[in-house]
Amino acid sequence: MGSTSSIQFCRRNNKTFLRIFMILVLSCIPGLTNLCSNPSVTTPTDLLPSNPSDTLSSLDSLDLEGYISFNDVNNASKDFGNRYQLPPLAILHPRSVSDISTMMRHIVGSTSNLTVAARGHGHSLQGQALAHQGVVINMESLTSPGMKIHKGKQPYVDVSGGELWINILRETLNYGLSPKSWTDYLHLTVGGTLSNAGISGQAFKHGPQINNVYQLEIVTGKGEVVTCSEKRNSELFHSVLGGLGQFGIITRARISLGPAPHMVKWIRALYSDFSAFSRDQEHLISKKNAFDYVEGFVIINRTDILKNWRSSFTPNDSTKANQFKSDGKTLYCLEVVKYFNSEQANTINQEIKKLLSELSYIPSTLFSSEVPYIEFLDRVHNAETKLRAKGRITWCGQMLVRGEINRDIMS
Ligand SMILES: Cc1cc2nc3c(=O)[nH]c(=O)nc-3n(C[C@H](O)[C@H](O)[C@H](O)COP(=O)(O)OP(=O)(O)OC[C@H]3O[C@@H](n4cnc5c(N)ncnc54)[C@H](O)[C@@H]3O)c2cc1C
Ligand SMILES: *[C@@H]1O[C@H](CO)[C@@H](O)[C@H](O)[C@H]1NC(C)=O
Ligand SMILES: *[C@@H]1O[C@H](CO)[C@@H](O)[C@H](O)[C@H]1NC(C)=O
Ligand SMILES: *[C@@H]1O[C@H](CO)[C@@H](O)[C@H](O)[C@H]1NC(C)=O
Ligand SMILES: *[C@@H]1O[C@H](CO)[C@@H](O)[C@H](O)[C@H]1NC(C)=O
């Protein structure tokens, strides 16, 4: 399948996740300038398949419900990293699981050495979702059959591997339910994030997204359609989850759901001392019934950071917040969220006050906000939309959005 980088995530220790996540977030920031200022594209030197015209005609003769495109392959020749330009020979737009199975059987049975890669929303960075001179399977075409929500004691939703998480959120909210574990950005596919880990500020509590899957339907490298779970074909199940697309193609996933809150209290506060910051984070993720989301990010020499926050957050102490100087400092921002429903509106502030009293952030930098659950979860996209409207998205798009949000332009 596509080329890979081998990031391994430990699946058990939630604290480790938070640390890894922090490292990922932190490591993104110095890289930002480099990536943005140096958009060099690697030119491939790989050999082409020996007889492409035979390969093309054999692909063209497949009996499919969807279709294959050979011309318009540009969209599948790059990913979000934009560092590799590796055009495929063809893109499969599958309409059914059997289309994917047909393709895999064809490839494994031929002598052409074609590579194949599933492509979700193409937000990975290292050419993982690319198949140079091979076949890219455009998973977003595979939306049928639609989502099926099962209520009951252990609610879940059955979704296509090409479904976007934002659509799952919207649909499950109609039933008062929601997946439990998220990524920061929701316009990604189920197959794409389950091939990695799917980490955001809920991972300390529920594990990453790959810990919240009951069952998968996989098309294997030989084209077999296999259902797997913790109990059934468990080796395949555990290989595919976090498998970087190398162990089969996720065509359906059964994702665990929980009750969805109506609202969230969204809180930010700054630290100048990293040990105090990480100590507080560890305290919060170790404590029962504390916050529902814990993240953090680093802010380097940013003037007027708190002034920028004011467009979306309210300072606890406006006067002191005005006097705080962020210029020239490296600061660590704790970001926490507590979910609540309208009947808890009276008690939630007391609970939060108690939790905050155990922390040692800089008092004048405490900001909070109250927003609907969906608005909080879809925050990166909302910010992206605003930045796009201002023409402030460059080719490194989300990378910049993340940077901007963290520095915070959310007006
Ligand atoms: C700026 C930025 C911020 C990010 N923030 C986060 C974050 O907060 N948390 C987090 O967890 N991740 C984050 N990511 C990583 C992101 O979640 C992964 O790159 C994810 O794979 C993207 O999903 P996608 O649908 O775009 O997948 P793609 O990029 O299309 O595919 C990713 C990999 O999965 C494989 N794949 C895709 N679909 C399937 C399928 N159906 N079956 C099997 N394999 C498949 C592909 O072949 C490829 O190897 C971030 C990425 C960027 C660029
Ligand atoms: C390629 O991407 C562009 C922009 O997202 C889109 O308008 C176009 O329809 C895509 N082409 C194909 C063949 O998917
Ligand atoms: C496929 O790879 C094998 C082993 O590397 C090689 O012997 C064969 O010639 C290749 N076939 C084609 C059609 O490129
Ligand atoms: C908010 O500000 C007030 C007034 O400065 C202060 O008394 C209170 O302790 C602050 N609340 C928190 C949770 O820090
Ligand atoms: C912070 O940035 C300002 C300009 O934005 C610069 O003049 C100053 O030297 C920087 N300070 C540090 C400590 O990097």
Side-chain angles (χ1 to χ4, degrees), residues 67 69 72-75 91 93 138:
Y67 67 98
S69 65
D72 213 349
V73 294
N74 274 348
N75 283 8
I91 305 177
H93 300 269
N138 179 29

Side-chain angles (χ1 to χ4, degrees), residues 300-303 327-329:
I300 299 165
N301 189 14
R302 188 78 181 175
T303 306
D327 198 17
K329 288 186 196 148

Side-chain angles (χ1 to χ4, degrees), residues 316-317 320 352-353 356-357 361 363 366:
N316 176 55
D317 187 330
K320 284 196 182 136
I352 287 176
K353 205 167 177 191
L356 292 177
S357 71
Y361 53 86
L366 179 66

Side-chain angles (χ1 to χ4, degrees), residues 350-370:
Q350 280 313 109
E351 278 177 51
I352 287 176
K353 205 167 177 191
K354 166 104 192 13
L355 288 168
L356 292 177
S357 71
E358 296 162 13
L359 307 180
S360 52
Y361 53 86
I362 304 166
S364 57
T365 66
L366 179 66
F367 277 64
S368 70
S369 156
E370 200 176 298

Side-chain angles (χ1 to χ4, degrees), residues 10 26 65 96-97 100-101 111 119 158 169 201 212 214 223 227 231 235 254 259 277 319 354 359 388:
C10 156
L26 295 175
E65 288 167 53
S96 64
V97 173
I100 297 175
S101 165
T111 52
R119 182 181 179 93
D158 282 327
L169 176 60
N212 290 276
Y214 290 139
T227 300
K231 296 224 169 89
E235 199 178 353
R254 178 166 291 180
F277 165 73
T319 318
K354 166 104 192 13
L359 307 180
R388 277 191 197 283

